[in-house]
Amino acid sequence: MDPAHVIIRIRGLSKRFGDIQAVDGLNLDVYAGDVYGFLGPNGSGKSTTIRMMLSLVRPDSGTIELFGLPLRGSRRAILERTGALIEKPDLYDYLTAFKNLEILSAYAGDKVISRRIMEVLAVTGLVKRAHSRVKTFSKGMKQRLGIAQALVGDPELLILDEPTAGLDPQGVKDIRDLIATLNHDMHKTVLISSHQLHEIEQVANRMIIIDKGHAVVEGEVKELLKDRDQNLESYFLNLT
């Protein structure tokens, strides 16, 4: 991969909470056009790393660069080009999907026109429910509305933290298909954190597996699984 097209570069990233070393000298690279699987068991440090990428948690040591810019000192410029869904979206159940996006975008400081809101609702398969109250939505629909919120500003990079957690099979498929559309048709770079390994195997071209806050393996999914009579899940279990 061309280093000039690195979207996320992390070097020596560490974070401790009391006696717990949540992240321990982590290195990773995400390239433009990747669907990058960020994999590990619960408690492996995935969410802490993502929060550090989004400037929600301050690292103890190490560096984070996005779009070739250091996060420290370039936070605003980076976040303007980044959309994120952290775990489950915070939504107003008694307001419509449209109104939720309008209000949440205003809170984020985005000046969004109605046409853009309808565009992202269409992309996420919710345009017919634009004026339905969110309390009538399934969990999967709420997750897709959270992704719509992350897309309103037309980001180059989308960071999704466990977007399929707790969804039924149809909800998981809907999110998987949406990620493929965002990557292939809309040319978004996507980092997706998950412990649903069989799902990542179907959508990601590159991945990292972390355990106890440090990298176990990183690379092309096809290369890592080449000549192995096993899927990504069994490979993951063998490593960790």
Side-chain angles (χ1 to χ4, degrees):
M1 291 287 187
D2 184 349
H5 293 101
V6 176
I7 299 297
I8 302 173
R9 172 172 285 145
I10 289 176
R11 293 291 182 270
L13 191 66
S14 295
K15 180 64 182 181
R16 176 181 287 275
F17 297 103
D19 295 333
I20 299 173
Q21 187 70 48
V23 181
D24 187 12
L26 184 65
N27 300 325
L28 66 82
D29 293 296
V30 177
Y31 297 95
D34 276 346
V35 174
Y36 188 91
F38 191 37
L39 309 177
N42 289 333
S44 61
K46 302 187 304 296
S47 292
T48 298
T49 301
I50 285 175
R51 282 166 169 74
M52 287 191 282
M53 287 183 202
L54 296 172
S55 210
L56 299 174
V57 172
R58 185 185 297 274
D60 295 333
S61 60
T63 60
I64 302 172
E65 293 182 1
L66 288 88
F67 310 106
L69 301 171
L71 183 58
R72 181 172 293 181
S74 305
R75 179 180 182 274
R76 182 171 181 177
I78 287 169
L79 294 183
E80 285 176 349
R81 301 166 69 180
T82 304
L85 175 62
I86 307 300
E87 295 180 346
K88 65 181 184 67
D90 291 321
L91 302 168
Y92 297 101
D93 279 349
Y94 285 88
L95 297 179
T96 66
F98 183 96
K99 195 64 178 178
N100 263 274
L101 294 187
E102 191 174 54
I103 290 173
L104 294 169
S105 298
Y107 283 163
D110 296 325
K111 295 180 180 179
V112 178
I113 60 174
S114 297
R115 183 177 64 188
R116 178 59 184 167
I117 292 176
M118 295 304 289
E119 285 173 354
V120 297
L121 288 171
V123 167
T124 53
L126 295 171
V127 70
K128 291 183 179 180
R129 300 295 300 274
H131 301 294
S132 298
R133 292 186 181 186
V134 170
K135 70 175 183 176
T136 67
F137 284 16
S138 67
K139 186 172 182 179
M141 292 170 68
K142 289 179 179 180
Q143 286 295 93
R144 283 186 279 137
L145 184 57
I147 294 174
Q149 178 189 344
L151 290 171
V152 163
D154 196 19
E156 299 168 50
L157 170 66
L158 194 62
I159 297 176
L160 306 176
D161 188 12
E162 301 278 3
T164 62
L167 299 186
D168 62 21
Q170 184 60 52
V172 171
K173 182 181 184 301
D174 290 342
I175 296 294
R176 185 173 67 231
D177 292 345
L178 175 56
I179 290 169
T181 296
L182 293 172
N183 180 249
H184 297 152
D185 299 342
M186 301 180 67
H187 311 294
K188 306 295 184 187
T189 300
V190 182
L191 182 146
I192 176 170
S193 162
S194 182
H195 60 274
Q196 301 292 330
L197 305 179
H198 57 286
E199 288 302 323
I200 292 297
E201 185 176 6
Q202 295 182 62
V203 299
N205 64 300
R206 298 184 62 250
M207 68 163 189
I208 189 170
I209 296 174
I210 70 170
D211 189 34
K212 298 181 178 64
H214 65 269
V216 178
V217 67
E218 181 187 25
E220 299 278 343
V221 172
K222 289 182 179 179
E223 287 298 313
L224 292 171
L225 297 177
K226 188 167 63 175
D227 300 325
R228 297 178 185 273
D229 185 21
Q230 55 186 352
N231 61 20
L232 184 55
E233 185 165 8
S234 58
Y235 184 45
F236 169 84
L237 293 173
N238 288 338
L239 286 171
T240 59

